[in-house]
Amino acid sequence: LNETFQSTEEDENTSDGKEQELTPKEQERIENLATALEKIRTDESMSHHESENSIGDSISTASLHFSPPSVPSSTKFQVKITMPQTRFTVINDLQGMDEALFRVSMTNFVAGGELVSPKTLFDFHCNTSILADYFDTSVNLWNRLLIQPWEITMKGSRAPSRRFKSDRLSSVLDLESFPCCISFSEQFLVSLASAARKWLIYA
């Protein structure tokens, strides 16, 4: 290449400003240089594509081997119960006698809750009002055992503790009761004692 430039400069100095054509030897050298440069560029592009392919293969391989963590399945049960009025009557039918003792009535019974399995997590609430009467055999009439309705509210839950910020399960039971006012006569106690003795004898 240096020889080419030197010969070109000499020709320019001796040529009175006229351009001369390249010799076959000079053309061959220029073509060899162009071929070498093209080969270098081709090798660099091939190495770059191979590196990108290797990175893509490694990423695809990693994605193939990656599996998301398994999440344990759970089942949730929800229950809602509403009963306007429910009544239970206890009768002494020993010796063929149907003698009423007392009756209990639940009004406006509302309950609901949910249960999550298999962790045994639950949350429920219950609200009702209770009335009770006893049967006075001396006058054959029903008398009030509870003077006024007895209202009860109950709540319960089992879940991770929020107070201590821990995963440990905590069970809570809350019972709220209004005053329970009871009134009964001596005849009611006699009827209960008589039924208990007969039960012990005939049981």
Side-chain angles (χ1 to χ4, degrees):
L1 185 62
N2 291 331
E3 294 177 356
T4 304
F5 289 148
Q6 290 176 0
S7 62
T8 304
E9 290 177 357
E10 292 176 355
D11 294 337
E12 287 178 354
N13 293 330
T14 59
S15 61
D16 296 333
K18 294 183 179 180
E19 295 182 356
Q20 296 182 359
E21 295 181 358
L22 296 176
T23 63
K25 187 176 183 180
E26 291 174 349
Q27 292 179 359
E28 184 180 357
R29 287 181 180 179
I30 293 174
E31 290 177 359
N32 292 336
L33 288 173
T35 305
L37 290 174
E38 185 67 24
K39 184 177 181 181
I40 292 172
R41 292 177 182 176
T42 305
D43 294 340
E44 288 179 354
S45 62
M46 290 180 63
S47 62
H48 179 68
H49 286 300
E50 289 178 355
S51 62
E52 289 182 349
N53 293 333
S54 62
I55 294 172
D57 293 340
S58 61
I59 293 174
S60 61
T61 304
S63 63
L64 289 175
H65 289 290
F66 174 77
S67 58
S70 59
V71 179
S73 59
S74 59
T75 305
K76 180 183 289 187
F77 301 93
Q78 291 184 345
V79 179
K80 292 183 180 180
I81 302 175
T82 302
M83 292 187 294
Q85 184 176 13
T86 304
R87 177 175 295 176
F88 301 94
T89 303
V90 179
I91 298 174
N92 179 14
D93 60 351
L94 296 175
Q95 293 182 341
M97 300 175 58
D98 293 335
E99 182 181 350
L101 296 178
F102 63 90
R103 64 187 180 186
V104 178
S105 301
M106 290 191 302
T107 60
N108 300 327
F109 179 83
V110 178
E114 62 181 21
L115 172 65
V116 179
S117 177
K119 294 183 178 181
T120 318
L121 304 178
F122 61 83
D123 184 10
F124 74 90
H125 64 276
C126 175
N127 186 17
T128 186
S129 180
I130 299 177
L131 297 173
D133 301 322
Y134 71 92
F135 189 76
D136 191 348
T137 56
S138 61
V139 293
N140 291 330
L141 293 174
W142 290 98
N143 294 327
R144 287 184 177 272
L145 182 60
L146 295 178
I147 299 176
Q148 61 186 12
W150 181 26
E151 295 184 8
I152 299 176
T153 300
M154 182 181 298
K155 297 179 181 179
S157 64
R158 178 177 172 81
S161 177
R162 299 179 181 177
R163 181 177 179 183
F164 300 102
K165 296 181 180 180
S166 174
D167 294 336
R168 184 175 181 181
L169 297 180
S170 175
S171 300
V172 179
L173 180 62
D174 184 13
L175 178 62
E176 181 180 359
S177 173
F178 285 82
C180 180
C181 301
I182 301 176
S183 176
F184 55 88
S185 65
E186 181 181 358
Q187 186 62 39
F188 175 61
L189 298 179
V190 171
S191 298
L192 290 180
S194 175
R197 286 195 300 268
K198 291 179 181 179
W199 175 260
L200 293 176
I201 293 173
Y202 295 101

